[in-house]
Amino acid sequence: MESKDSISIWFFIGISLLVNGVLILGAGIYELVHPPENPVVLFRLHASIWWGALLLITGVFYCYRFLPRGAWRK
Amino acid sequence: MTPTLALAVPSRLVKLAPVDLIIIVFYFALVLAIGFYLKRRASTGEDFFLAGREMTAWIAGLSFLSANLGALELMGWASSAYEYGILATHAYWIAAIPAMLFLGVFMMPFYYISKTHSVPGYLKLRFGESSRSLSAISFAFMTVLMSGINMYSMALVLKIVLGWNMNFSIWISALTVGIYVALGGLRSAIFNEVLQFVLIWAGALLIPILGLIEAGGWGPLKAQIIHNTSVEYVHLWRYLGSFSTNPEGIHWTGVLFGQGLVISFGYWTTDFLVVQRLLAAKDLRAAKMAPIIGAAFKMFVPFIVILPGLLALAVLPFKLTGASVAAATGGHSYNEVLPLMLARYCGPGLLGLGVTALIAGFMSGMAGNVSAFSTVWTYDIYRALIRKDASDAHYVSMGRWCTILGVLISIGTAYFVMQFFSIMDYVQALFSIFIAPLFGTVILGMFWKRATAAGGFWGLLTGTISAAAMFAWIEVNPAAVRYVALSSHASPMAADMYRALWSWIVCVVVTIAVSLFTRPKPVAALNGLVYGETDIPSEGNVAFYHRPAFWAVIVGLVFVALNVIFW
């Protein structure tokens, strides 16, 4: 769908997942070190950490796989 | 296809942390960046209105689904799940999957091969200018109305959930959508819809996962729901034998023929808001596969929409009520169920992503409305009725300005709704008034070569008028619901379904009757428009697992299995 010099939608999605993954993982680690006074239900599962990590890994994969190399070379 | 939200008593449900705000601001920056990046690829009419017709099946399919997956859809059906139980799932299964598969396998060839820019454009080719004008004007009216109401609802939700000022929410979201669609046209809308689709899943998927962990799995969840409500809340079909034995007050015939046949097929196969995404596909096979891919994902949307509503029935320590009761008692209404569940499980970061998912849902729906409005206005009203022979560049310019105009009208509608709140109650009804007869006209046009121009026009007109008349009848005399919906127990939703069914029948009967007394088009003029008279490219040399029909059968079988499992 994209020509060689264009950026794929999947690359934009990769960027979005990567940035959100970093932020959520970071927030999760912060909460692990500084537990909140009013934790959410099932806080003990630390969903922010594993969900953030999952988004981060998926984002890295999509960014790498759909990196617009043609546009970069130009 | 969108339930009406009626929220009241503004009160702040959640408080965002700085990291949540960063996630939301990053989302707005990214969608605008995509719009600016794609501006250079929207210079011709084909680029701006049809995204260059170069979308893969996956992108067209996800965009097709995302344009429908607005946050009103998410929050409204989650609310319905709390109110009516698993019955709300019909909106995602019987009221979507068969129609989407039918569209992909049987109808897309005619939309695609005819090279039309829009659904009204197809009616022009098949039935002539009068049918096109009637459907284009009603579609444009409905689209900006829906867009404005969605915008108002979004602002109301953000006010209740986050305490945000409504004017701020309306203007920021509307201008963002206006900018990225005006810059990049349909391609920008589609790109952002795919991004929004991913964010909706990323932001909403944790709720059912954590909810099921808390409830102990599906079995204990079901038992708890039955304990808290009644057994009818966990069965899809078993208690639809009578109007009075299920929470929705509907009979299975209403679900199957009203919701499952007329409204669903009308919406998914003739509403240009969703069909436009498929016309952007790169070839016929991609255009046929796209709605099948959309159907496969649609089947699993209840996991992030219906399941949170059901989980709330089991795990929330308090009861939700209708909007008016909540307003009087200071409690929470059904419509707040999704934000409540979000706040229950999601801490900083995840909460920001969840709120971004809601905003993304609103914006994808709004972008769908605005891009479809721009195309129908430019091609089916402006070019057809006002200025027929302008240059391509002129129509692209008109499309860009019309996008901004559509956004501004939507904002005006949002403020209008704010003053006259009861109009929200009529949205679903108005929707069914226009969509059900249109489906009758399109389906006869595609599959009955004897249908004539006069038949198509008068069928569409009388179908629409009959739907409006039934609506007015019930408004004036509420007891008339027993005639329209066959039961005095029927809910407004059930009345919508039956009204759609009757108006579709009126449209079909009138179209057939008038056609039989008027002269049809010569057969040669029907090539590319009608079944039996169109050369559809053979798929003989394509492996069976690459054929749309094969995947339609697979999706259809999973759909049947799900209905049996949750019977």
Side-chain angles (χ1 to χ4, degrees):
Chain A
M1 182 202 65
E2 291 85 14
S3 57
K4 212 174 178 184
D5 64 341
S6 65
I7 302 175
S8 165
I9 175 58
W10 304 113
F11 178 73
F12 287 113
I13 287 170
I15 292 281
S16 174
L17 294 177
L18 193 155
V19 172
N20 283 315
V22 167
L23 292 169
I24 291 168
L25 178 61
I29 292 171
Y30 180 84
E31 280 204 317
L32 186 65
V33 179
H34 306 282
E37 284 180 18
N38 299 307
V40 294
V41 173
L42 297 180
F43 174 74
R44 61 186 162 78
L45 296 180
H46 297 291
S48 300
I49 292 181
W50 51 266
W51 195 248
L54 185 65
L55 296 182
L56 174 60
I57 292 166
T58 313
V60 167
F61 170 76
Y62 270 76
C63 283
Y64 177 76
R65 171 73 180 76
F66 296 98
L67 186 72
R69 295 181 174 86
W72 255 226
R73 278 197 294 270
K74 288 194 166 196
Chain B
M1 299 305 290
T2 302
T4 304
L5 273 181
L7 295 165
V9 196
S11 63
R12 189 165 159 174
L13 286 184
V14 298
K15 188 170 185 297
L16 296 182
V19 67
D20 300 316
L21 290 172
I22 293 172
I23 287 172
I24 294 169
V25 170
F26 172 71
Y27 165 73
F28 275 91
L30 187 61
V31 296
L32 284 173
I34 291 174
F36 278 101
Y37 171 71
L38 293 175
K39 180 177 184 295
R40 67 189 174 97
R41 298 183 64 193
S43 51
T44 68
E46 190 88 342
D47 282 339
F48 189 84
F49 297 108
L50 286 171
R53 285 194 193 259
E54 58 180 26
M55 297 297 141
T56 62
W58 277 92
I59 290 179
L62 295 184
S63 164
F64 168 73
L65 185 55
S66 184
N68 161 262
L69 200 61
L72 266 187
E73 176 92 4
L74 299 177
M75 295 186 55
W77 286 115
S79 150
S80 295
Y82 187 93
E83 198 174 354
Y84 302 124
I86 205 171
L87 284 177
T89 311
H90 285 307
Y92 290 90
W93 290 352
I94 188 72
I97 308 304
M100 293 164 94
L101 299 181
F102 185 80
L103 171 68
V105 175
F106 297 107
M107 292 178 73
M108 274 323 292
F110 306 107
Y111 280 137
Y112 199 82
I113 291 173
S114 68
K115 293 285 175 197
T116 181
H117 286 91
S118 65
V119 173
Y122 174 80
L123 292 184
K124 156 75 171 66
L125 297 171
R126 180 65 182 87
F127 291 122
E129 198 60 72
S130 47
S131 294
R132 186 225 315 242
S133 299
L134 178 60
S135 70
I137 291 168
S138 61
F139 178 80
F141 170 72
M142 273 307 301
T143 304
V144 290
L145 186 63
M146 287 297 292
S147 177
I149 287 170
N150 283 353
M151 202 183 294
Y152 167 73
S153 304
M154 176 198 71
L156 199 54
V157 166
L158 293 181
K159 182 176 181 178
I160 290 169
V161 176
L162 304 171
W164 286 2
N165 178 281
M166 288 183 71
N167 295 317
F168 172 80
S169 302
I170 285 176
W171 283 94
I172 289 291
S173 58
L175 289 180
T176 305
V177 170
I179 289 170
Y180 78 68
V181 178
L183 286 172
L186 182 62
R187 184 182 277 109
S188 181
I190 288 177
F191 268 45
N192 276 307
E193 280 159 5
V194 176
L195 171 67
Q196 286 149 358
F197 179 85
V198 173
L199 286 175
I200 288 168
W201 279 89
L205 191 57
L206 262 186
I207 299 175
I209 292 174
L210 294 173
L212 280 175
I213 292 172
E214 185 187 5
W218 173 247
L221 169 65
K222 215 167 119 175
Q224 190 63 42
I225 292 172
I226 293 170
H227 177 262
N228 291 356
T229 58
S230 59
V231 71
E232 297 86 11
Y233 278 72
V234 294
H235 288 283
L236 269 179
W237 294 98
R238 187 169 295 171
Y239 295 95
L240 295 185
S242 163
F243 290 94
S244 56
T245 55
N246 61 82
E248 211 171 306
I250 192 166
H251 190 259
W252 67 268
T253 53
V255 174
L256 192 61
F257 299 115
Q259 192 175 15
L261 181 65
V262 177
I263 291 185
S264 158
F265 275 69
Y267 175 77
W268 288 105
T269 67
T270 64
D271 190 325
F272 183 54
L273 166 70
V274 286
V275 173
Q276 184 179 27
R277 274 77 196 136
L278 307 180
L279 297 179
K282 64 178 182 175
D283 55 33
L284 177 58
R285 202 166 69 82
K288 290 171 76 174
M289 273 304 293
I292 296 166
I293 291 170
F297 279 96
K298 182 81 175 174
M299 269 193 302
F300 296 100
V301 173
F303 195 70
I304 57 169
V305 178
I306 305 298
L307 196 47
L310 297 177
L311 284 162
L313 280 171
V315 302
L316 284 184
F318 48 85
K319 266 195 169 303
L320 307 182
T321 59
S324 53
V325 176
T329 60
H332 294 291
S333 79
Y334 302 132
N335 300 310
E336 295 168 43
V337 66
L338 202 55
L340 280 169
M341 295 300 281
L342 190 65
R344 182 176 179 83
Y345 298 119
C346 296
L350 288 176
L351 197 56
L353 188 61
V355 172
T356 301
L358 290 180
I359 295 173
F362 278 117
M363 286 173 60
S364 64
M366 197 191 306
N369 279 306
V370 167
S371 56
F373 171 77
S374 164
T375 305
V376 166
W377 167 266
T378 305
Y379 278 118
D380 297 306
I381 298 176
Y382 181 74
R383 190 172 78 172
L385 305 175
I386 299 170
R387 190 164 171 189
K388 293 188 178 183
D389 49 5
S391 65
D392 188 55
H394 175 81
Y395 291 126
V396 172
S397 174
M398 172 56 67
R400 288 193 205 280
W401 283 110
C402 190
T403 300
I404 301 295
L405 181 69
V407 167
L408 292 176
I409 296 173
S410 301
I411 291 173
T413 310
Y415 282 103
F416 179 75
V417 173
M418 215 180 279
Q419 302 301 316
F420 301 97
F421 190 79
S422 61
I423 198 172
M424 296 276 287
D425 299 335
Y426 302 136
V427 175
Q428 189 71 8
L430 283 172
F431 186 79
S432 64
I433 287 171
F434 290 115
I435 283 295
L438 179 62
F439 171 58
T441 305
V442 171
I443 201 79
L444 283 174
M446 279 185 182
F447 294 97
W448 190 44
K449 64 183 178 184
R450 184 66 182 77
T452 66
F457 174 74
W458 287 108
L460 183 59
L461 186 63
T462 52
T464 306
I465 291 173
S466 69
M470 281 183 272
F471 173 73
W473 188 21
I474 295 177
E475 282 299 301
V476 173
N477 175 19
V481 73
R482 65 181 297 188
Y483 301 109
V484 173
L486 307 178
S487 165
S488 51
H489 296 289
S491 64
M493 197 183 283
D496 280 343
M497 290 170 199
Y498 279 99
R499 188 178 51 248
L501 179 60
W502 302 137
S503 62
W504 180 79
I505 289 172
V506 168
C507 171
V508 168
V509 169
V510 171
T511 303
I512 291 172
V514 175
S515 294
L516 292 175
F517 288 98
T518 47
R519 180 184 292 181
K521 269 186 171 182
V523 169
L526 299 178
N527 187 23
L529 300 173
V530 182
Y531 183 79
E533 300 300 334
T534 300
D535 298 324
I536 298 173
S538 164
E539 291 178 338
N541 56 349
V542 177
F544 76 92
Y545 53 83
H546 281 150
R547 294 184 193 180
F550 170 75
W551 289 105
V553 170
I554 298 290
V555 173
L557 289 174
V558 176
F559 160 74
V560 171
L562 286 170
N563 275 277
V564 171
I565 290 168
F566 295 99
W567 185 270

